[in-house]
Amino acid sequence: MTGQILQTLESRFMTPGPEDDGSGFRHWRFAVDGQGIAWARLDKAGSSANTLDGEVLEEFSTILERLEADRPKGLVIRSAKPGGFCVGADIAQFREMDDPARVREEIDRGNAALDRLEKADFPTIAIIHGPCLGGGLELALACDYRIAIDGASFGFPEVMLGLHPGLGGSVRLTRLIDPTEAMTMMLTGKTAHTAKARKLGIVDAVTKERHVAAAVQAAVGGEVEKRSQDFRDAALNTLAGREIAARQMRAKTAKKAPPEHYPAPHRLIEIWRRHGGDRDEMREAEADSFAQLLTGETARNLIRVFFLRENLKGQAPDSSDVRRVHVVGAGTMGGDIAGLCAIKGLSVTLGDVDNRIIADAVKRCAAMAKAKHMKPAEVRAALDRLIPDPNGDGVAHADLVIEAGPEKAEIKEKIYGELEPRMKADAVLATNTSSLPLDRLAKSLDRPERFVGIHFFNPVAKMDLVEVVSHDGADGTALEQARGFLGRIGKLPAPVRTAPGFLVNRCLTPYLMEAIIMVDEGVKPETIDRAAERFGMPMGPIELADQVGLDIALSVADVLRERLDRPIPETPDWLRRKVDGGDLGRKSGRGFYEWKDGKADKDDDAPDPGEGMTDRLVMPMLDACATCLREGVVSDEDVLDGAMIFATGFAPFRGGPMHYARERGFGEVADALASLRDNHGDRFAPDSYWTERGD
Ligand code: NAD
């Protein structure tokens, strides 16, 4: 209601606040306007987005100190950056904090600043545009009013880093809105967009940029209704209410984040259950727990994962000159690659020998766009950019041509023979092959230097990682263009060299094959999957093989077996017969498991995995990682760890396979492999990397 009133108010002020008064703050622009309202605008020095750190909060305390003496009519807090309000704490600063007592001191200082804001005896108003996350939301919650500019989003993503709010966020949000909604936001890390945030009561009003000054006047004048919890919210916050809700939250959270691997959400539930009735106690418990979590192993590793993602993002140059893309082969992969490119704003032509397959790809693009919550007009625009092109007319204009034809060298070479003469001389030709050696494919080309691998994973829309595959004859600029293109469509490029299975499939296959051998030995698939899930994999190897498709998993294993010196276990005959008989896994409804409604039907009573089963699964994967590093398939351990986490879901809280190996000790890993070799055969023989590179 108030939001509507604000939207209809005509503002006389078209600028978002007065000019800086030259107070000399590094991170804040401060001024008092003609109406006696103070404006503190956050403008974090040296950063494109606002983040909070000790210095930002210290300056903010100084501002408050001054205002306590001057008593303005009100205080407006907003961001001077066009991108948004504040994305939360500066995560780089977290990396250096390893002492809980020091973290606690920092938290206490931050809390003192926010308490001071909350207690100010003049109205305080946060004007929020763009993302308002984590510490940024905690700052806004300490204000009397939160006024959102349409498009603002709110959330506590701390849980993704193995943390929960630390600056009173859990205390304030559970007292502002329905406490179970507040807890859900913090437990899932999900973001609430403006309308949802308004409905939940996180924001008091929604306005437009040009009405900001009027909105501020209305808030200062007491015309904006302040949100308070109703009877139902209060009832949910009683001890009895919290007990019941906490039980449900624990069970639901444990399914996705078991407490032994991800303690943060479980601690948060416990803090609220125990202390939700006492503000000071809850604040104390939140701060204590945050300090423990931040210096604990899970958060340290998840913070590492955050930077592994940044590292991969950084592999793409800032801009890309790829505007037009032509995709050949509109099947499972090519169709979705083309659809994604169109959704991301590129002009795409899509060819195939079969027109029905192109039409089906266009339908999938519409579904993908809808799944991404695009508006109908945006979906239409994306579809307009995706042009069916059975004759390949788009080839001549494309900056990048992606081949996603069948996995047969002769067919791919024939396709290249038709494409290459029609392509622009400086265009890049990329193959999505998952197993064919690029140096062999390059031999058939006139311009092998413009040829690279861009290896997407299935499903294209979901999998962030894409391998950018080089070969000896590839030109550096072609590889850079490929990485830039991936950055442009929001993927994470992992540079790898051509080698059997490249990086990800090569490291994943020994793990999948070991699981298959265990089934052959009579172990139940559920038991094997449980061993991997207990290690922290999002799903076990048997379920994963069913998901990937047993035909695909086995053909990758065949290629590796043929091309690698290392023994890859033979596929049992019964499994080949199964695949020949059409049991391909999830896509056919039956593989190792029966699949119903996209879910594997599992026997919950399968026996628990025995001692050593996890090592037997994980060690072959670690060893393949070591081999890839030794052979230079991938340049370093960080790119490898990022690739394995973002392509296979390797237990993120362990920080990646090589990080896990380093934590465990390379010598220990080599010993574990040697003992597996003694029991199960030469496929476990440890790579020399462990002893050569061990500390
Ligand atoms: P697919 O069989 O679904 O699609 C291949 C398409 O190519 C078909 O639509 C077919 O009609 C078309 N085609 C055949 N000959 C052609 C020609 N001469 N000109 C144009 N189009 C032609 O296969 P897919 O699963 O999409 O795989 C495509 C490529 O992607 C393969 O190299 C595969 O190894 C690779 N890949 C597949 C996956 C996966 O999980 N499916 C994952 C990563 C990479």
Side-chain angles (χ1 to χ4, degrees):
M1 184 64 185
T2 324
Q4 282 167 359
I5 295 170
L6 286 177
Q7 280 188 19
T8 54
L9 277 176
E10 252 322 309
S11 165
R12 284 181 295 127
F13 307 96
M14 299 298 282
T15 51
E19 277 307 301
D20 188 354
D21 75 351
S23 318
F25 294 114
R26 235 168 83 73
H27 305 292
W28 293 87
R29 295 208 224 150
F30 178 77
V32 178
D33 69 13
Q35 336 273 318
I37 298 170
W39 292 70
R41 280 174 296 164
L42 180 54
D43 191 7
K44 176 87 184 274
S47 166
S48 58
N50 282 329
T51 54
L52 291 189
D53 62 15
E55 216 178 276
V56 168
L57 288 168
E58 206 168 295
E59 283 191 0
F60 184 61
S61 288
T62 311
I63 292 176
L64 289 175
E65 203 171 307
R66 188 189 293 182
L67 293 177
E68 279 156 7
D70 293 352
R71 294 284 305 276
K73 265 171 105 182
L75 166 65
V76 175
I77 298 172
R78 70 170 312 186
S79 159
K81 303 217 190 268
F85 185 76
C86 174
V87 293
D90 175 1
I91 297 169
Q93 125 198 292
F94 282 170
R95 271 217 282 205
E96 283 132 38
M97 295 186 175
D98 50 10
D99 173 13
R102 231 201 87 207
V103 178
R104 187 58 216 257
E105 277 170 30
E106 291 274 336
I107 297 255
D108 288 348
R109 259 201 295 277
N111 268 329
L114 297 199
D115 284 354
R116 208 163 173 172
L117 172 64
E118 189 175 56
K119 291 197 184 108
D121 55 3
F122 41 82
T124 54
I125 306 135
I127 300 286
I128 299 151
H129 69 276
C132 172
L133 305 173
L137 180 51
E138 291 178 301
L139 174 67
L141 285 172
C143 292
D144 296 323
Y145 301 97
R146 281 154 297 285
I147 296 177
I149 292 171
D150 212 359
S153 56
F154 301 79
F156 279 122
E158 284 85 344
V159 71
M160 321 269 192
L161 294 178
L163 299 167
H164 54 57
L167 291 178
S170 69
V171 185
R172 291 194 174 96
L173 195 63
T174 52
R175 279 153 193 274
L176 178 71
I177 65 170
D178 174 338
T180 52
E181 295 278 7
M183 289 297 288
T184 304
M185 272 184 81
M186 292 184 280
L187 293 173
T188 60
K190 280 194 186 147
T191 303
H193 290 280
T194 316
K196 171 99 191 274
R198 173 82 181 101
K199 192 161 161 249
L200 288 172
I202 296 171
V203 299
D204 303 291
V206 180
T207 190
K208 292 197 165 31
E209 182 63 50
R210 64 180 185 280
H211 299 314
V212 162
V216 167
Q217 290 286 345
V220 170
E223 291 161 38
V224 177
E225 202 180 314
K226 239 185 174 183
R227 155 92 200 173
S228 62
Q229 284 189 323
D230 58 19
F231 175 74
R232 185 181 162 274
D233 297 343
L236 287 169
N237 223 0
T238 58
L239 183 59
R242 295 199 305 272
E243 292 279 0
I244 298 168
R247 208 172 309 133
Q248 289 167 351
M249 286 174 194
R250 243 183 257 120
K252 207 165 166 190
T253 305
K255 277 194 195 139
K256 283 210 159 159
E260 62 278 21
H261 297 156
Y262 297 97
H266 300 275
R267 295 250 186 101
L268 181 64
I269 296 169
E270 190 53 14
I271 289 169
W272 178 64
R273 186 194 69 79
R274 282 181 67 170
H275 306 295
D278 185 314
R279 211 187 144 89
D280 292 342
E281 273 184 19
M282 185 161 171
R283 241 269 302 272
E284 187 64 18
E286 182 202 77
D288 244 1
S289 165
F290 183 90
Q292 296 297 334
L293 288 169
L294 181 59
T295 50
E297 207 179 318
T298 296
R300 303 213 71 72
N301 285 341
L302 291 177
I303 289 166
R304 170 179 163 74
V305 173
F306 173 88
F307 286 104
L308 291 177
R309 181 182 278 277
E310 294 297 300
N311 178 37
L312 290 172
K313 271 191 207 162
Q315 304 292 326
D318 287 340
S319 64
S320 158
D321 47 15
V322 173
R323 301 271 174 278
R324 288 162 186 257
V325 180
H326 181 80
V327 180
V328 187
T332 311
M333 298 303 290
D336 282 4
I337 294 167
L340 180 69
C341 290
I343 285 171
K344 294 291 181 179
L346 298 172
S347 291
V348 196
T349 42
L350 177 60
D352 199 289
V353 285
D354 186 338
N355 280 346
R356 280 169 314 178
I357 294 179
I358 301 181
D360 191 50
V362 173
K363 270 193 220 142
R364 293 207 310 275
C365 173
M368 203 195 293
K370 281 186 200 133
K372 286 183 185 290
H373 304 292
M374 288 169 72
K375 298 189 176 120
E378 292 167 338
V379 177
R380 272 198 305 279
L383 290 175
D384 283 348
R385 285 190 291 268
L386 177 57
I387 303 159
D389 185 16
N391 300 324
D393 295 333
V395 175
H397 310 287
D399 306 304
L400 170 67
V401 175
I402 301 175
E403 169 275 309
E407 190 69 342
K408 290 228 160 29
E410 314 76 69
I411 301 183
K412 289 192 189 295
E413 281 161 2
K414 185 173 160 279
I415 293 176
Y416 301 158
E418 288 158 15
L419 285 175
E420 210 186 13
R422 301 171 74 184
M423 284 172 58
K424 292 197 287 188
D426 60 350
V428 175
L429 173 61
T431 175
N432 190 47
T433 180
S434 33
S435 63
L436 299 171
L438 261 67
D439 21 27
R440 161 164 181 196
L441 295 174
K443 284 206 178 93
S444 70
L445 296 170
D446 285 338
R447 291 190 295 274
E449 68 280 4
R450 306 298 298 160
F451 178 62
V452 300
I454 301 188
H455 181 217
F456 285 84
F457 292 89
N458 188 12
V460 172
K462 259 202 181 160
M463 305 297 291
D464 283 347
L465 193 100
V466 180
E467 290 175 322
V468 175
V469 191
S470 68
H471 57 96
D472 279 346
D475 187 55
T477 55
L479 291 162
E480 187 172 310
Q481 280 166 295
R483 295 195 302 271
F485 155 73
L486 292 170
R488 170 74 181 72
I489 61 167
K491 295 288 181 194
L492 302 172
V496 300
R497 284 199 50 79
T498 187
F502 310 135
L503 172 68
V504 172
N505 283 339
R506 175 149 174 205
C507 298
L508 196 62
T509 303
Y511 161 79
L512 296 183
M513 288 309 289
E514 201 55 39
I516 289 172
I517 293 179
M518 287 184 192
V519 179
D520 196 45
E521 289 170 2
V523 185
K524 283 200 85 162
E526 288 87 344
T527 304
I528 300 165
D529 279 349
R530 211 175 295 153
E533 283 158 13
R534 287 208 181 141
F535 178 79
M537 303 302 190
M539 76 174 69
I542 299 292
E543 186 177 343
L544 182 62
D546 261 6
Q547 285 264 18
V548 167
L550 295 180
D551 51 338
I552 290 180
L554 294 190
S555 87
V556 172
D558 289 344
V559 167
L560 292 182
R561 196 176 297 112
E562 206 177 285
R563 302 215 184 107
L564 291 178
D565 300 336
R566 163 180 292 273
I568 297 282
E570 284 301 330
T571 303
D573 286 343
W574 57 264
L575 185 54
R576 283 215 191 275
R577 283 197 297 275
K578 202 172 164 62
V579 172
D580 292 343
D583 289 347
L584 306 179
R586 184 184 164 164
K587 60 188 167 191
S588 70
R590 188 190 298 147
F592 284 100
Y593 296 111
E594 296 284 333
W595 286 77
K596 285 186 198 129
D597 303 325
K599 272 193 154 181
D601 185 15
K602 291 193 177 185
D603 173 8
D604 292 339
D605 298 329
D608 254 0
E611 187 83 14
M613 194 178 280
T614 308
D615 258 8
R616 200 177 145 190
L617 289 170
V618 173
M619 285 296 153
M621 185 195 294
L622 295 192
D623 207 44
C625 290
T627 309
C628 285
L629 283 159
R630 182 174 50 73
E631 291 179 352
V633 175
V634 59
S635 63
D636 62 59
E637 293 180 13
D638 282 355
V639 171
L640 184 147
D641 278 350
M644 292 304 285
I645 291 170
F646 299 119
T648 74
F650 182 94
F653 70 95
R654 296 198 187 271
M658 291 310 292
H659 184 73
Y660 169 72
R662 285 215 172 268
E663 293 284 293
R664 192 162 160 172
F666 278 10
E668 229 288 304
V669 171
D671 289 348
L673 279 159
S675 128
L676 285 160
R677 177 197 52 202
D678 296 344
N679 289 322
H680 300 284
D682 274 352
R683 63 183 184 277
F684 288 98
D687 194 277
S688 59
Y689 188 85
W690 303 117
T691 38
E692 281 161 14
R693 302 298 289 270
D695 299 327

